[in-house]
């Protein structure tokens, strides 16, 4: 029977299936950060349990860590307590920890792939919704809740209902100046924030295949923002080249055997998905959001649309979102002044994102009206930025690099956008207060962010290269 890529991985990890209920699924890799794990470890203590397979769990603090002066104690007491608690729990239960100051520390969804801990064919979980990032490697990766974190720590398994399958194909080639972030925001705007609820999405098509691994991670990272349980892309030569030689990747004969298996990880030609959706890459332009969810998006040159539904509750919600942002239907945002620019997060905090940003600002200078936070996703990314001379290009253009962390993706650390200020952000969510109480967030890719940081306003990056 023909099977999808998702079915092949899921079925090979299924221990038991309850009739009419969930699957007991074996988990290959568990990533653990400081926010969703404390209660899980407390649960183990109450039950007198150890971590069943400690070598399968990797810990790293990321949400609460500062992006300046990481060599000094964390000043915020809540953040400090969460980071210190993870350190104690990792030590007590014998787990590997890439703690604050560790050369492999960083955002958990950045360090997993770059170290070779994330591999094709794996089942991967973390107490974080953007675990879908790892699906770019041909893995079944999804976020879990705190009680499920405890379940995985105790048994290396999880009870999970099997999602339906969806394939989203992006056919043709992308236009110049269009990034993977633009592709993802375009898809979400068409699918809506609930359009993939209940599905696990496989991305396919020429535009997806032409992407680098870092670009594929961006697309899969945002799958959750249209309601999907996760997103994935079949592994290929691009995947294998990225993984080869990384610290935790297979070596020698084990590498050859692994690649032979990974080559089998593709949906069969006659596999049937529960839903198929197709987009034309030529229709995608640089994108921005205008509301308070990632589905409220337009191209950077378009006007904000009017609400076109019949539901009065939906209309009221739509207008409330625009009121929060200070925008109106029919308004064009190109040329709107910008206060903050944030480059970073598990969506766009990788080396290629900084390289793209630098390619735009080279020979230009940061606007004096813009506060720019450029935050690498890991210490490894920061080292590569320096090795490739990207830091000098940024410095010449008036930018400063901060230390790695989740930073201004969410208001759980010192990097908070002040109330009322407008931020162009390469992160993944633009909810009310996401970047700080009263902060206004416009999601965009690294090129749109770079253009805004130079011009001081929302700018089509294709017009001022």
């Amino acid at each position: 029977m023909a099977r999808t890529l998702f079915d092949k991985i899921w079925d090979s990890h299924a221990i038991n299936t309850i009739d009419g209920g969930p699957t007991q699924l074996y988990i290959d890799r568990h990533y653990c950060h400081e926010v969703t794990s404390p209660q899980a470890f407390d649960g183990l203590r109450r039950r007198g349990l150890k971590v069943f397979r400690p070598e399968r769990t990797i810990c790293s603090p990321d949400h609460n860590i500062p992006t300046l002066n990481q060599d000094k104690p964390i000043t915020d007491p809540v953040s400090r307590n969460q980071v210190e608690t993870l350190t104690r729990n990792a030590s007590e239960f014998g787990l590997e920890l890439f703690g604050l100051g560790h050369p492999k520390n960083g955002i958990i969804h950045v360090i997993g792939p770059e170290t070779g801990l994330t591999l094709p064919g794996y089942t991967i979980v973390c107490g974080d919704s953007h675990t879908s990032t790892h699906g770019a490697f041909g893995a079944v990766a999804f976020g879990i809740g705190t009680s499920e974190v405890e379940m995985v720590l105790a048994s290396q398994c999880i009870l999970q209902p099997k999602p339906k399958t969806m394939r989203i194909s992006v056919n043709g080639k992308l236009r110049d100046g269009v990034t993977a972030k633009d592709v993802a925001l375009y898809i979400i705007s068409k699918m809506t924030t609930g359009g993939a609820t209940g599905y696990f999405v496989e991305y396919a098509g020429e535009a997806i295949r032409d992407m680098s691994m870092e670009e594929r991670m961006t697309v899969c990272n945002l799958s959750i923002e249209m309601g999907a349980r996760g997103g994935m892309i079949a592994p290929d030569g691009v995947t294998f080249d990225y993984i080869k030689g990384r610290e935790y990747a297979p070596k020698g004969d084990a590498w050859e055997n692994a690649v032979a298996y990974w080559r089998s990880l593709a949906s069969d030609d006659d596999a049937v998905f529960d839903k198929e959706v197709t987009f034309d890459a030529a229709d995608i332009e640089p994108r921005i959001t205008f509301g308070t969810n990632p589905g409220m998006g337009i191209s950077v040159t378009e006007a904000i649309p009017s609400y076109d539904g019949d539901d009065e509750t939906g209309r009221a919600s739509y207008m409330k979102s625009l009121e929060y942002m200070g925008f109106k239907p029919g308004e064009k945002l190109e040329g709107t002044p910008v206060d903050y620019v944030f480059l970073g997060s598990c969506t766009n905090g990788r080396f290629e994102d900084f390289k793209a940003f630098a390619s735009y600002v080279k020979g230009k200078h940061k606007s004096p009206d813009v506060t720019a936070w450029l935050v690498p996703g890991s210490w490894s990314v920061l080292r590569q930025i320096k090795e490739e001379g990207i830091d000098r290009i940024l410095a010449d253009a008036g930018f400063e690099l901060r230390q790695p962390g989740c930073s201004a993706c969410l208001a759980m650390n010192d990097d908070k956008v002040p109330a009322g200020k407008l931020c162009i952000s390469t992160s993944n969510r633009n909810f009310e207060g996401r970047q700080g109480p009263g902060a206004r967030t416009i999601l965009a890719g690294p090129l749109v962010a770079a253009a805004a940081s130079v011009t001081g306003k929302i700018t089509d990056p294709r017009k001022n290269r």
Side-chain angles (χ1 to χ4, degrees), residues 316-330:
S317 176
Y318 186 85
M319 295 309 297
K320 180 178 179 289
S321 178
L322 290 186
E323 182 180 355
Y324 179 86
M325 293 298 295
F327 302 144
K328 296 179 180 178

Side-chain angles (χ1 to χ4, degrees), residues 322-340:
L322 290 186
E323 182 180 355
Y324 179 86
M325 293 298 295
F327 302 144
K328 296 179 180 178
E331 180 181 359
K332 284 196 170 187
L333 298 185
E334 191 175 9
T336 300
V338 170
D339 303 301
Y340 281 73

Side-chain angles (χ1 to χ4, degrees), residues 145 170 253 258 453:
V170 185
D253 290 342
S453 69

Side-chain angles (χ1 to χ4, degrees), residues 142-159:
F142 53 91
I144 57 176
T146 296
S147 61
E148 294 170 314
V149 170
E150 182 181 345
M151 191 185 303
V152 174
L153 290 171
S155 68
Q156 206 56 42
C157 292
I158 190 172
L159 291 174

